[in-house]
Amino acid sequence: MTRLFNDPSNFPEEARLGLVAANRDKLMAVPGGVVRSTRSEPGTVAVVIGGGSGHYPTFAGLVGQGLAHGAVMGNLFCSPSSQQVYSVAKAAHNGGGVLLSFGNYAGDVLHFGEARERLIAEGIPCEIVLVTDDVASAPLEEIDKRRGIAGDLTVFKAAAAAAENGLSLEAVVVVAKEANRCTRSFGVAFEGCTLPGADDSLFHVPEGRMAIGLGIHGEPGISEADIPTADELADMLVNRLLQEVPEGIEISGARVAVVLNGLGTVKYEELFVIYRKVDELLQSAGIHIVEPDVGELVTSLDMAGVSLTFFWLDQQMEPLWTAAADAPGYRKGSVKPAEALDPAEVEVVVQDAIPEASESSRKLARGVIESLEVLANTVNRNCDLLGQIDAVAGDGDHGIGMQRGSKAALEGANEAFNKGAGAQTVLQWAGQHWSDKAGGTSGAIWRVILKSMGESLGNDRLLSGQRLAAGVINARDQVMAFGKAELGDKTLVDVLAPFADALSREVEKGGELVTCWEVAALTASKAADETAKLLPRVGRARPLAEKSLGTRDAGAVSLALIIQALIPVLKKCEPS
Amino acid sequence: MTRLFNDPSNFPEEARLGLVAANRDKLMAVPGGVVRSTRSEPGTVAVVIGGGSGHYPTFAGLVGQGLAHGAVMGNLFCSPSSQQVYSVAKAAHNGGGVLLSFGNYAGDVLHFGEARERLIAEGIPCEIVLVTDDVASAPLEEIDKRRGIAGDLTVFKAAAAAAENGLSLEAVVVVAKEANRCTRSFGVAFEGCTLPGADDSLFHVPEGRMAIGLGIHGEPGISEADIPTADELADMLVNRLLQEVPEGIEISGARVAVVLNGLGTVKYEELFVIYRKVDELLQSAGIHIVEPDVGELVTSLDMAGVSLTFFWLDQQMEPLWTAAADAPGYRKGSVKPAEALDPAEVEVVVQDAIPEASESSRKLARGVIESLEVLANTVNRNCDLLGQIDAVAGDGDHGIGMQRGSKAALEGANEAFNKGAGAQTVLQWAGQHWSDKAGGTSGAIWRVILKSMGESLGNDRLLSGQRLAAGVINARDQVMAFGKAELGDKTLVDVLAPFADALSREVEKGGELVTCWEVAALTASKAADETAKLLPRVGRARPLAEKSLGTRDAGAVSLALIIQALIPVLKKCEPS
């Protein structure tokens, strides 16, 4: 378990600062993550990788000469915000455009995608290549739905070496896609990891058993079995990967880069025992192994698990794999040290200024802050419950993510308020802080909700039922457009949409605001319960108490709880 | 826990082969361990390191250009045998003599010392430098009694860089001793590791508590405390090390190499959170940190612990620390790849030939094998008990070590017998296999016991009471000379000595051999129980069931059990 931390909510940030302190010759901290502290050849493509923290040396440990130019560092197991991605990309950009590469997770896809649009709008060429190497996460026909796990390393390595060689952004994209096409991973897990300050593991696997294909955040696997011998496990992993050799590769005589990865507590000696057999099996299949890596490369804190990755090489890919690299967590060959970069040369993105606000909007902003306090307290009280509900069909971090986000939102709101902001700006800062500090899908969604509400309330208006209802409708529309979720998809939309409709209907009837909200809140609660009737769309290996917790969507439940909790606040700040 | 293995007794050997398979460009397997697979400058000193397996990347992961020339790899947490040390040193020797360097543990000191004598006898200059960096294991006045922990890395690094620079053996010894004088470590542990196949951890620390100064095999610490915050822990570790700055160093303005080491399940993000504070504290003390290492460098399988090492640098030491190195588990700077070595050029040590034996000694050899079977079965049956007794005052591996050793002894005996060996040679091979496969202090002692018995029985004699009694007396004398233990030191001598006396006395009286043995066996059992009355000489932080297990010496108990178990065998092979 994770035992050493200060305030758990500062853990990822303190780890980032410690990493940089230990590697000042290689890394520099910038808002949102790290970039190289050494000079790159001007005009070359910047490879920016990233995702949640907790996977060291992935992602920040893979920044350095011959590897990535920057890493965006989200919270533990949470995608970074688009602001973070944008900030790191701006700092890493070297005149040759930016390749954003990361594992295929919904939150990352949202945030990196948003950042890409913003960069392109500013005239910085930017492309995205997803890593989709985990064969257990979807069938081959749906390869685009597969998750990225330890194959991150081979894809990043090939793309970065191509960038280092001076290839154009288009050419680097082709290389990265080809590397991803030729990379396959398969893994097993024996026990989950413990987040700092949590009482229990994120998930459990029964003792003596192994979850096959379980994701690096505990996402559903494909089956469960007794723990086999090391040789049997090697056999299983190798055979599964040999079933899916990329088109155009002949097994006999093939050349392959092999990565045998420990997730955290499967230790080196165990990995070597397994590798001994992997080496034997591949040799007997006539496959030539090129510069294998055996160690901890994509971890999940102290999770017990192991994965095997094959990166099938051709004449183009092999020199990219074997090229020298010198990052804090990955070194090979001899790299000629580059000149140190003057920090003053690196572009640092700062937050926007505060627009003017009317006296009435300043008063309303106070009410907004009170609402955000209630929101944060509600999440706090229900944090464990939300985590447990999420663990049935998700990765169990909804409660922690919401807690971290709502706390950050309140801090951001207070900061903006103290700088003289009105209601809209306070909500906008709150949303941005939520997303920056908590990341994840819920961080992205709540940023949209708070921002949409703010647009309706403005920086110069009084509160009215119409404006509040319009804000909720606006939030619903923007969330649905942003998250691409429909009613019935078992997301927070299943609560937000009926609530928005009900609130508008009641406000049109002309009731008092608090009464309208109370009626609509009832609709929201019922809708949250309804989500339990929709079956989860994926099977899972996890032995959790599904029955007692139901299969409700955690995001929907938390929204309904928050709506309910806001009633007393509205009673106090009825429009004057 | 350690989950992935095949036959647990093959675990270290399979890990060694997997390590070599993953690093063929750097390592080559030789009997007893690994050596570089690249050519070193002829005439330079060979730095040979080693100790028990289970500490990767220490020791074998630290073999490569700029670091060690060879590593001797004992069983898990057990010292290698002198034969293994000799073999690896012969393979690594490059014409410039051999420096043997390792952590200060009794078994290692015994075996490396024996090997050194054998090398010197053959005309190969050989010196030993012990690593004694663990400030918790003895007070400063008794620095020679301190254990070696993560300071292994800094001492090996400095010595190897000096050897690489072409210094003479004498000069490399001076460098290594100076590096050890300037290296201090301090660590804490939260939970023990699990040996492959074991049901439980080697030791436990109560949940929420931390054992301060606990050794890397669970050796006694100095105290226990609640787990503090990361910052408080950093503070504690730094302050303790700053209390003991080596003579001649001024704190303000000092330059120090810092190693923050995770033992296995304290993961990277936690280490970085701690390092952030270490960096801050040293900076505010005016200390300049030179090329810090934060990661897993000296592990103990999946043990939860962390240690901090300071290597105080001067103008001689700093370039040795910062010199480039390229080993499987430790890389820094840019190393120009050396030419690959032809395996045929490496000297491989093979076992000796079988001396002739008489028909009667061949018959006696059968009895010896039967006795070794009984011995192995007795150890097997009592393996858990012996481990539990050992865990009270030792590192808890006595049962596993004896099991592994007695099994290997039986295999060695059978191999020799099948090649035509008599009783003496069978016992000698049995002892050598025991020591080679199990290592540790018990491996060394049992090699001496079996060899001494063999010298008395010869390869051309019949069994007689006199010869058996003389063999036991010989074993007692040689064990006491070899292990430097006196009666009352709470070792196996406390049983062996009274047993030897009693057996001689009974045989002189002229009784039947089996009766004499029975009487002496009773003395042995009583003596084993007596060891419980001698208090352990060191305090410890471990919360084990001391009262129920008593404080008997495990080696004494196992010898008494074996003596008892041999009675039925003697009944069958009474002298004809």
Side-chain angles (χ1 to χ4, degrees):
Chain A
M1 67 180 292
T2 301
R3 295 179 179 87
L4 298 172
F5 45 84
N6 297 301
D7 179 345
S9 63
N10 296 336
F11 184 84
E13 177 60 7
E14 292 182 347
R16 182 176 80 109
L17 297 178
L19 169 68
V20 172
N23 296 279
R24 292 196 176 97
D25 56 329
K26 297 184 178 69
L27 299 184
M28 188 185 291
V30 294
V34 297
V35 296
R36 291 190 198 175
S37 61
T38 55
R39 189 180 302 283
S40 306
E41 196 63 40
T44 52
V45 172
V47 175
V48 173
I49 60 179
S53 294
H55 303 298
Y56 190 84
T58 299
F59 298 91
L62 303 181
V63 173
Q65 286 185 255
L67 251 162
H69 295 75
V72 196
M73 300 169 71
N75 248 304
L76 287 172
F77 304 158
C78 288
S79 75
S81 71
S82 61
Q83 173 73 19
Q84 287 181 291
V85 179
Y86 170 78
S87 160
V88 174
K90 289 279 277 189
H93 184 227
N94 193 35
V98 176
L99 173 72
L100 300 174
S101 191
F102 48 94
N104 184 25
Y105 296 91
D108 293 311
V109 171
L110 282 174
H111 292 114
F112 280 84
E114 271 202 343
R116 172 173 174 261
E117 284 175 23
R118 193 164 161 198
L119 290 163
I120 289 175
E122 289 186 17
I124 297 178
C126 181
E127 295 298 339
I128 284 176
V129 176
L130 298 177
V131 182
T132 59
D133 58 314
D134 183 1
V135 303
S137 52
L140 184 57
E141 308 80 61
E142 296 181 284
I143 191 166
D144 291 349
K145 290 192 180 165
R146 285 181 173 175
R147 301 182 292 245
I149 51 172
D152 278 350
L153 175 68
T154 62
V155 177
F156 299 162
K157 178 75 179 65
E164 205 86 32
N165 289 344
L167 267 63
S168 69
L169 179 58
E170 291 66 32
V172 172
V173 167
V174 171
V175 163
K177 286 188 172 166
E178 176 65 8
N180 184 57
R181 189 186 76 82
C182 295
T183 297
R184 298 278 189 285
S185 302
F186 189 43
V188 298
F190 312 104
E191 185 58 323
C193 59
T194 314
L195 294 172
D199 290 334
D200 197 9
S201 290
L202 212 50
F203 64 89
H204 289 288
V205 178
E207 209 182 303
R209 302 280 286 171
M210 132 182 124
I212 299 169
L214 199 92
I216 56 175
H217 314 100
E219 297 92 344
I222 48 179
S223 62
E224 207 186 273
D226 285 344
I227 297 178
T229 66
D231 282 1
E232 286 163 355
L233 178 62
D235 219 61
M236 188 192 95
L237 296 174
V238 167
N239 284 332
R240 177 64 187 85
L241 292 182
L242 289 186
Q243 279 166 27
E244 224 188 79
V245 177
E247 249 186 73
I249 303 272
E250 273 294 327
I251 286 193
S252 179
R255 297 176 70 81
V256 66
V258 173
V259 180
L260 182 64
N261 175 55
L263 273 289
T265 58
V266 171
K267 299 310 301 180
Y268 307 104
E269 284 82 0
E270 291 174 278
L271 293 174
F272 288 127
V273 168
I274 300 167
Y275 184 74
R276 184 193 114 272
K277 186 68 180 179
V278 170
D279 179 84
E280 191 184 303
L281 291 168
L282 292 190
Q283 287 207 16
S284 70
I287 295 168
H288 184 86
I289 300 174
V290 180
E291 298 194 4
D293 280 309
V294 180
E296 297 181 350
L297 297 153
V298 181
T299 62
S300 284
L301 294 175
D302 61 325
M303 174 168 162
V306 61
S307 69
L308 182 67
T309 299
F310 287 174
F311 175 26
W312 299 89
L313 303 170
D314 61 11
Q315 287 187 336
Q316 185 196 19
M317 290 298 144
E318 184 161 333
L320 300 173
W321 173 245
T322 59
D326 188 22
Y330 192 83
R331 290 173 196 158
K332 68 160 62 177
S334 296
V335 169
K336 188 169 162 277
E339 191 193 347
L341 201 56
D342 181 349
E345 292 178 60
V346 177
E347 184 168 350
V348 174
V349 173
V350 288
Q351 293 272 5
D352 305 340
I354 302 284
E356 271 192 52
S358 70
E359 263 313 295
S360 57
S361 187
R362 291 281 292 159
K363 271 191 197 157
L364 182 50
R366 270 187 213 280
V368 166
I369 285 175
E370 204 175 330
S371 305
L372 290 168
E373 276 169 5
V374 168
L375 193 164
N377 291 338
T378 307
V379 168
N380 253 340
R381 264 199 317 277
N382 294 285
C383 181
D384 287 350
L385 173 72
L386 295 172
Q388 286 159 8
I389 293 174
D390 186 39
V392 177
D395 54 9
D397 66 351
H398 183 76
I400 288 174
M402 289 288 292
Q403 194 176 34
R404 197 186 285 135
S406 57
K407 185 183 165 210
L410 184 59
E411 286 165 1
N414 274 314
E415 195 183 330
F417 184 80
N418 293 337
K419 289 180 178 176
Q424 177 174 3
T425 307
V426 165
L427 278 161
Q428 192 184 321
W429 276 53
Q432 192 62 52
H433 273 70
W434 188 316
S435 164
D436 283 356
K437 294 284 165 62
T441 310
S442 65
I445 297 293
W446 275 93
R447 182 177 62 74
V448 172
I449 293 175
L450 298 182
K451 184 163 165 274
S452 313
M453 296 292 296
E455 282 162 4
S456 184
L457 298 182
N459 279 326
D460 53 2
R461 296 168 214 162
L462 293 170
L463 181 64
S464 75
Q466 283 72 15
R467 286 196 188 117
L468 197 59
V472 176
I473 292 282
N474 188 22
R476 176 200 65 188
D477 294 346
Q478 294 207 26
V479 164
M480 288 177 74
F482 175 75
K484 299 187 180 60
E486 300 291 324
L487 203 62
D489 279 357
K490 274 187 74 65
T491 71
L492 154 155
V493 168
D494 294 347
V495 167
L496 182 56
F499 173 69
D501 289 342
L503 184 63
S504 289
R505 205 166 47 232
E506 294 301 317
V507 167
E508 264 172 49
K509 284 187 201 163
E512 278 199 7
L513 175 49
V514 66
T515 318
C516 300
W517 188 278
E518 276 173 336
V519 173
L522 208 63
T523 310
S525 294
K526 280 184 192 158
D529 289 341
E530 283 288 312
T531 67
K533 296 190 185 158
L534 306 160
L535 287 173
R537 281 164 298 180
V538 279
R540 62 189 296 99
R542 257 181 254 177
L544 276 169
E546 304 214 3
K547 280 171 197 160
S548 65
L549 295 168
T551 53
R552 291 176 300 167
D553 177 69
V557 172
S558 54
L559 177 59
L561 290 170
I562 289 162
I563 289 169
Q564 190 68 34
L566 286 173
I567 294 172
V569 186
L570 285 168
K571 276 189 181 150
K572 281 198 287 179
C573 62
E574 266 297 276
S576 52
Chain B
M1 68 181 290
T2 301
R3 296 179 178 88
L4 298 172
F5 46 83
N6 298 302
D7 179 344
S9 63
N10 295 335
F11 184 84
E13 176 59 8
E14 291 182 349
R16 183 177 79 111
L17 297 178
L19 168 68
V20 172
N23 295 281
R24 293 196 175 97
D25 56 330
K26 296 184 179 68
L27 299 184
M28 188 186 292
V30 294
V34 296
V35 295
R36 291 190 197 176
S37 62
T38 54
R39 188 181 302 285
S40 306
E41 196 64 40
T44 52
V45 173
V47 175
V48 173
I49 60 178
S53 294
H55 303 298
Y56 190 85
T58 300
F59 298 88
L62 302 182
V63 173
Q65 287 184 255
L67 252 162
H69 295 76
V72 196
M73 301 169 72
N75 248 306
L76 288 172
F77 303 159
C78 288
S79 74
S81 70
S82 62
Q83 172 73 19
Q84 287 181 291
V85 179
Y86 171 78
S87 160
V88 173
K90 289 280 276 187
H93 184 228
N94 194 34
V98 176
L99 173 72
L100 300 175
S101 190
F102 48 92
N104 184 24
Y105 296 92
D108 293 311
V109 171
L110 281 177
H111 292 113
F112 280 83
E114 271 203 342
R116 172 172 174 263
E117 284 175 23
R118 191 163 163 198
L119 290 164
I120 289 175
E122 289 186 16
I124 297 178
C126 181
E127 294 298 339
I128 284 177
V129 175
L130 298 178
V131 182
T132 58
D133 58 314
D134 183 1
V135 302
S137 52
L140 183 57
E141 307 79 61
E142 297 181 281
I143 191 166
D144 291 348
K145 291 193 179 165
R146 285 181 173 175
R147 301 182 292 244
I149 53 172
D152 278 349
L153 175 67
T154 62
V155 177
F156 299 162
K157 179 73 178 65
E164 205 84 35
N165 289 346
L167 267 62
S168 69
L169 180 58
E170 290 66 32
V172 172
V173 167
V174 170
V175 163
K177 286 187 171 167
E178 176 64 9
N180 183 57
R181 190 186 75 83
C182 296
T183 297
R184 297 280 190 283
S185 301
F186 189 44
V188 298
F190 312 104
E191 184 58 322
C193 59
T194 314
L195 294 172
D199 290 334
D200 197 10
S201 290
L202 211 51
F203 64 91
H204 290 289
V205 178
E207 209 181 303
R209 302 280 286 172
M210 133 181 125
I212 299 170
L214 199 91
I216 56 175
H217 313 101
E219 296 92 342
I222 48 178
S223 62
E224 206 187 272
D226 284 345
I227 298 179
T229 66
D231 282 2
E232 286 163 355
L233 179 61
D235 220 59
M236 188 192 95
L237 295 174
V238 167
N239 284 332
R240 177 63 185 85
L241 293 182
L242 289 186
Q243 280 166 27
E244 223 188 80
V245 177
E247 249 186 73
I249 303 272
E250 272 294 326
I251 286 194
S252 179
R255 298 175 70 80
V256 67
V258 173
V259 180
L260 182 65
N261 175 56
L263 273 287
T265 59
V266 170
K267 299 311 299 180
Y268 307 105
E269 284 81 0
E270 291 173 279
L271 292 175
F272 289 127
V273 168
I274 299 166
Y275 185 74
R276 183 192 114 274
K277 186 69 181 177
V278 171
D279 179 84
E280 192 183 302
L281 291 167
L282 292 191
Q283 288 206 17
S284 70
I287 295 168
H288 184 86
I289 300 174
V290 180
E291 298 194 4
D293 280 308
V294 180
E296 297 181 349
L297 296 153
V298 179
T299 62
S300 285
L301 293 175
D302 61 325
M303 175 168 162
V306 61
S307 69
L308 181 66
T309 299
F310 287 174
F311 175 25
W312 300 89
L313 302 170
D314 61 12
Q315 286 187 339
Q316 185 196 18
M317 290 297 145
E318 184 161 334
L320 300 174
W321 172 246
T322 60
D326 187 21
Y330 192 83
R331 291 172 196 160
K332 67 160 64 179
S334 295
V335 170
K336 188 169 163 275
E339 193 193 345
L341 201 55
D342 181 348
E345 292 178 61
V346 177
E347 183 169 351
V348 174
V349 174
V350 288
Q351 293 272 4
D352 305 340
I354 302 284
E356 269 192 54
S358 70
E359 262 314 296
S360 57
S361 186
R362 291 281 293 159
K363 269 190 197 159
L364 182 51
R366 267 187 217 281
V368 166
I369 286 177
E370 203 176 331
S371 306
L372 290 168
E373 276 168 5
V374 167
L375 193 165
N377 291 338
T378 306
V379 168
N380 253 339
R381 263 200 317 278
N382 293 286
C383 182
D384 288 350
L385 173 71
L386 295 173
Q388 286 159 9
I389 293 174
D390 186 40
V392 176
D395 55 8
D397 66 351
H398 183 76
I400 288 174
M402 288 288 291
Q403 192 176 37
R404 197 185 288 135
S406 57
K407 186 183 165 211
L410 184 58
E411 286 165 1
N414 274 313
E415 197 184 328
F417 185 79
N418 293 337
K419 289 180 177 174
Q424 176 174 3
T425 308
V426 164
L427 278 162
Q428 190 185 323
W429 277 53
Q432 192 62 53
H433 274 69
W434 188 319
S435 165
D436 282 356
K437 294 284 165 60
T441 310
S442 63
I445 297 292
W446 275 93
R447 180 176 63 74
V448 172
I449 292 176
L450 298 182
K451 186 161 162 276
S452 313
M453 297 290 296
E455 283 163 5
S456 183
L457 297 182
N459 280 326
D460 54 2
R461 297 168 215 163
L462 294 170
L463 181 63
S464 74
Q466 281 73 15
R467 284 191 190 121
L468 198 60
V472 177
I473 292 283
N474 189 22
R476 176 200 66 188
D477 293 347
Q478 294 208 23
V479 163
M480 288 177 74
F482 176 75
K484 299 185 179 61
E486 299 292 324
L487 201 63
D489 279 356
K490 271 185 77 64
T491 70
L492 154 155
V493 168
D494 295 347
V495 167
L496 182 56
F499 173 68
D501 289 342
L503 185 63
S504 289
R505 205 167 45 232
E506 294 301 317
V507 167
E508 265 173 47
K509 284 189 202 160
E512 278 200 5
L513 174 50
V514 64
T515 318
C516 300
W517 188 277
E518 277 173 334
V519 173
L522 207 63
T523 309
S525 295
K526 280 183 191 157
D529 289 341
E530 283 289 312
T531 67
K533 296 192 183 153
L534 306 160
L535 287 172
R537 279 164 298 178
V538 279
R540 61 188 299 99
R542 255 180 255 175
L544 276 171
E546 304 212 4
K547 280 172 199 160
S548 65
L549 294 168
T551 52
R552 291 174 300 166
D553 177 69
V557 172
S558 54
L559 176 58
L561 289 169
I562 289 162
I563 289 168
Q564 189 68 36
L566 286 174
I567 294 171
V569 186
L570 285 169
K571 276 189 181 153
K572 281 198 286 177
C573 62
E574 267 298 277
S576 51

